[in-house]
């Protein structure tokens, strides 16, 4: 079984331990396929929509990959709008596309109920020639960013995106890989007003995935298995 499937199943199992999220999924997670189940593999092989956007966030081109049919959560006021967003912050070099297999596997493991979005780091992705770049509304809570490409600037960059692109009442589960784990913790530390999903990570709504899950030869991965 591919490692991205393994980690997606582990993340889904963590979500399963949260009663609030199980309620949102109508109790479906406890009966989800086991990590080695052929059923899960077949689900992931099915066509899962992934929408690519480039948005101007903090004045910097930012790539956002959106897994699932929901591409605009702010303006979607229908009853079908999900109540929770799974937000993935990559490690360095911040190549969002590397996390698409994991995002698809996690989307399938959560019964396709929640959008899974991946954001690039500021300055780590450029839009192809001719690609439309969307403009983001101003974040009224944004602090002056002296170095958008520095560590603190990258944290503010993610905060600005969440505050302008995600509804205030929407629950958040933040997943970080490597340096993305640090960014996740800083986001939760500096933006307590964000509606984090209770019951995950001691009420903080953060799942920190530190293992380089795409590298089978990694010592860390071997220890996890």
């Amino acid at each position: 079984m591919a490692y991205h499937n393994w980690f997606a199943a582990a993340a889904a199992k963590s979500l399963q331990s949260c009663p609030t999220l199980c309620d949102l999924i109508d109790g479906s997670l406890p009966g989800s396929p086991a990590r080695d189940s052929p059923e899960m593999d077949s689900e992931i092989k099915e066509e899962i929509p992934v929408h690519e956007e480039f948005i101007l966030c903090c004045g910097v081109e930012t790539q956002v990959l959106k897994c699932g049919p929901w591409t605009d959560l702010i303006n979607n006021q229908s009853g079908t709008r999900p109540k929770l967003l799974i937000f993935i912050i990559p490690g360095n070099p911040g190549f969002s596309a590397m996390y698409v297999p994991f995002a698809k596997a996690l989307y399938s493991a959560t019964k396709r109920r929640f959008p899974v979005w991946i954001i690039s780091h500021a300055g780590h992705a450029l839009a192809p020639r001719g690609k439309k770049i969307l403009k983001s509304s101003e974040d009224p809570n944004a602090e002056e960013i002296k170095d958008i490409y520095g560590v603190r600037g990258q944290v503010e960059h993610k905060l600005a995106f969440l505050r302008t692109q995600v509804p205030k009442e929407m629950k958040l589960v933040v997943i970080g890989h490597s340096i993305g784990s640090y960014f996740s913790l800083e986001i939760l530390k500096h933006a307590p007003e964000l509606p984090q999903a209770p019951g995950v990570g001691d009420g903080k709504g953060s799942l920190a995935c530190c293992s380089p899950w795409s590298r089978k030869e990694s010592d860390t991965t071997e220890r996890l298995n």
Side-chain angles (χ1 to χ4, degrees):
M1 185 179 186
Y3 277 89
H4 54 258
N5 294 7
W6 189 95
F7 281 101
K13 186 175 181 181
S14 295
L15 295 179
Q16 177 183 338
S17 65
C18 173
T20 303
L21 297 187
C22 285
D23 289 341
L24 292 175
I25 309 176
D26 298 327
S28 58
L29 270 181
S32 298
R35 68 176 250 199
D36 295 319
S37 167
E39 181 183 346
M40 173 177 263
D41 285 335
S42 64
E43 285 181 0
I44 295 171
K45 289 177 182 177
E46 294 177 12
E47 186 61 31
I48 294 176
V50 177
H51 176 74
E52 180 190 50
E53 282 184 359
F54 279 87
I55 186 169
L56 203 62
C57 183
C58 298
V60 179
E61 293 179 20
T62 303
Q63 182 189 43
V64 183
L65 300 177
K66 301 180 176 182
C67 187
W70 307 278
T71 58
D72 186 351
L73 296 176
I74 289 289
N75 296 311
N76 181 356
Q77 301 299 325
S78 68
T80 60
R81 188 176 77 177
K83 298 180 180 179
L84 180 142
L85 169 67
I86 300 174
F87 190 65
I88 299 176
I89 302 178
N92 278 328
F95 185 48
S96 304
M98 186 180 78
Y99 297 84
V100 169
F102 171 71
K104 285 185 174 183
L106 184 55
Y107 180 65
S108 291
T110 53
K111 299 296 183 181
R112 305 186 177 214
R113 301 296 182 92
F114 308 129
V116 182
W117 289 6
I118 314 165
I119 188 171
S120 70
H121 297 320
H124 287 225
L126 293 177
R129 182 177 298 179
K131 181 75 174 180
K132 182 179 179 180
I133 301 177
L134 305 176
K135 291 186 177 180
S136 177
S137 58
E138 293 293 327
D139 175 15
N141 297 316
E143 300 177 5
E144 181 181 358
I145 304 174
K146 296 181 179 180
D147 180 13
I148 185 64
Y149 306 113
V151 173
R152 181 61 188 164
Q154 294 288 357
V155 172
E156 289 297 328
H157 170 259
K158 312 302 181 290
L159 281 172
F161 177 86
L162 291 173
R163 286 171 172 155
T164 58
Q165 300 299 313
V166 180
K168 293 180 179 179
E169 67 277 8
M170 181 164 288
K171 301 294 185 181
L172 281 174
V173 170
V174 184
I175 298 179
H177 169 220
S178 190
I179 188 64
S181 299
Y182 174 78
F183 292 160
S184 300
L185 295 175
E186 287 296 294
I187 285 172
L188 300 176
K189 176 182 176 181
H190 292 283
E193 77 280 2
L194 292 176
Q196 303 141 22
V200 182
D202 195 24
K204 297 296 185 180
S206 175
L207 300 176
C209 301
C210 298
S211 169
W213 49 266
S214 65
R215 297 179 56 190
K216 182 177 179 181
E217 68 276 13
S218 164
D219 290 340
T220 307
T221 304
E222 292 300 323
R223 288 197 298 271
L224 284 173
N225 287 284

